[in-house]
Amino acid sequence: MRSRLLSLTILLIVLFVLSITAGVSLGAASIHFDTVWSIVINKLHPNTFATTWSKGQESIVWDVRFPRVILAALVGAGLAVTGAVLQSLTRNPLADPHLLGVSSGAAFGAILALLHTGLILGLLTVPLFSFAGALLATAAVALVTHLTRSHSADRLVLSGVAVAFVFSALGNLLIFLGDPRATNTVVFWMLGSLGLAQWQHLIYPAGVLAGCLALLLPKSRELNALAMGDETAATLGITVARFRFLLFVTTALLTGVMVAFSGAIGFVGLMVPHFVRMVAGADNVRVLPLSAAIGALTLIWADVVARLIMAPEDMPIGIVTGLVGGLAFILILVKSD
């Protein structure tokens, strides 16, 4: 067992290095792999290599693409972990932050900050407003489910879809009422965009992801118990209502912060946990960390495709994840019949 874990860890590290290298190297202006890592190492340890590249190449690698790839990994990991937790929490394989309306709520909060309030709290304004919107959407789903007295998995998804439509409409209203000069940028961001990634901003999604993983991973077995039913969890000494509230707030925080920096990217939270469970089983001790890793790799490569398919223009990454995720989901449905 320990040797298999070590082999898997080594494989994931190799895949991460290759994916980051490809993500930084490939684009409208391709840069050789050797040059990429020479620039990176020189930035970390100056004068290690003789400078054989131009200032433009150095700026593309260090200032543009490298933070973009890191942001893609953070967002992919965050959304995939959120999907895995929500699917176990709701005992619904269709649950993810996009379908349950959490992403729409987060986008609503971010649009409110970007177009109407301004950065009243500095760089934390958009993440905080996005988190508040995600939390509001989560509460709305819980309220609709409670008012309709229907707690089945199907009804929960329907409640989430309804809430998503409401918050999407409210977000569109904010865009309609906003400054026309800024709306094009916001609309592009809503479709999923990593193009504004900057080193000084990465501390926020990185810190939130690290904190949420530190909270969630030790509770993987409790999440397993909750996935088997409230009665089972209660017999094992879990305070179900408090634990469920903690998980909802944590997933809202993860979704809100990731949406604040990347826009609303769909299907990562739905498809990645499905794939992980097909390969590694349903135990969240394995599902959560593997979902984080596969989610990060998935979004790195989705971003590469988005940059290459219409080069030199960037296609919104949400279009790529929507197309690939939708087709993959259809295949899963066909095979499950």
Side-chain angles (χ1 to χ4, degrees):
M1 184 67 177
R2 186 172 297 177
S3 61
R4 288 178 59 189
L5 180 61
L6 179 62
S7 299
L8 179 60
T9 303
I10 293 172
L11 175 62
L12 288 174
I13 291 173
V14 170
L15 287 175
F16 266 111
V17 173
L18 292 176
S19 299
I20 290 172
T21 303
V24 178
S25 176
L26 300 176
S30 296
I31 300 173
H32 197 273
F33 294 174
D34 292 344
T35 304
V36 166
W37 286 109
S38 297
I39 292 171
V40 171
I41 293 171
N42 258 25
K43 282 290 183 179
L44 298 175
H45 300 283
N47 302 319
T48 303
F49 295 100
T51 303
T52 59
W53 51 84
S54 66
K55 288 288 185 182
Q57 288 178 315
E58 183 173 313
S59 179
I60 289 172
V61 168
W62 187 253
D63 298 324
V64 179
R65 291 186 187 166
F66 209 92
R68 179 171 177 151
V69 169
I70 299 300
L71 180 60
L74 293 173
V75 171
L79 293 178
V81 168
T82 299
V85 172
L86 287 175
Q87 287 168 15
S88 294
L89 175 61
T90 62
R91 298 188 290 278
N92 187 336
L94 294 178
D96 88 322
H98 208 66
L99 285 178
L100 288 182
V102 184
S103 292
S104 298
F108 167 77
I111 293 167
L112 180 63
L114 290 168
L115 290 181
H116 295 278
T117 68
L119 300 181
I120 56 176
L121 302 173
L123 290 177
L124 287 174
T125 305
V126 178
L128 286 175
F129 272 63
S130 187
F131 168 53
L135 203 57
L136 186 61
T138 302
V141 173
L143 179 62
V144 171
T145 305
H146 175 73
L147 291 176
T148 57
R149 295 183 175 86
S150 53
H151 301 281
S152 68
D154 293 340
R155 282 303 186 97
L156 184 64
V157 170
L158 290 176
S159 299
V161 170
V163 168
F165 274 117
V166 170
F167 276 96
S168 294
L170 292 174
N172 290 335
L173 178 62
L174 291 180
I175 292 174
F176 177 74
L177 297 174
D179 185 349
R181 293 170 296 181
T183 53
N184 286 339
T185 301
V186 172
V187 169
F188 185 86
W189 166 84
M190 283 182 65
L191 296 174
S193 173
L194 303 170
L196 299 179
Q198 298 179 41
W199 283 113
Q200 63 266 34
H201 296 165
L202 293 181
I203 186 173
Y204 302 114
V208 168
L209 178 63
C212 290
L213 286 176
L215 176 68
L216 292 171
L217 293 179
K219 297 185 180 297
S220 298
R221 298 190 188 281
E222 295 176 40
L223 189 58
N224 287 340
L226 193 63
M228 291 186 288
D230 292 358
E231 296 81 3
T232 302
T235 58
L236 295 174
I238 299 170
T239 308
V240 174
R242 184 186 302 171
F243 187 48
R244 182 178 282 114
F245 176 76
L246 174 66
L247 293 178
F248 272 129
V249 172
T250 304
T251 53
L253 175 61
L254 256 181
T255 303
V257 172
M258 298 311 163
V259 167
F261 288 95
S262 68
I265 297 174
F267 275 102
V268 175
L270 177 64
M271 291 308 306
V272 170
H274 265 286
F275 173 76
V276 169
R277 289 192 180 94
M278 288 169 58
V279 174
D283 187 352
N284 282 297
V285 173
R286 296 188 298 271
V287 169
L288 294 187
L290 283 176
S291 292
I294 302 302
L297 292 171
T298 298
L299 209 59
I300 289 174
W301 282 102
D303 184 51
V304 171
V305 173
R307 282 189 279 123
L308 290 177
I309 198 168
M310 293 181 65
E313 297 293 329
D314 278 2
M315 177 186 287
I317 192 171
I319 295 176
V320 176
T321 58
L323 284 172
V324 175
L327 292 173
F329 191 64
I330 290 171
L331 288 176
I332 289 177
L333 290 177
V334 171
K335 288 186 176 181
S336 64
D337 286 342

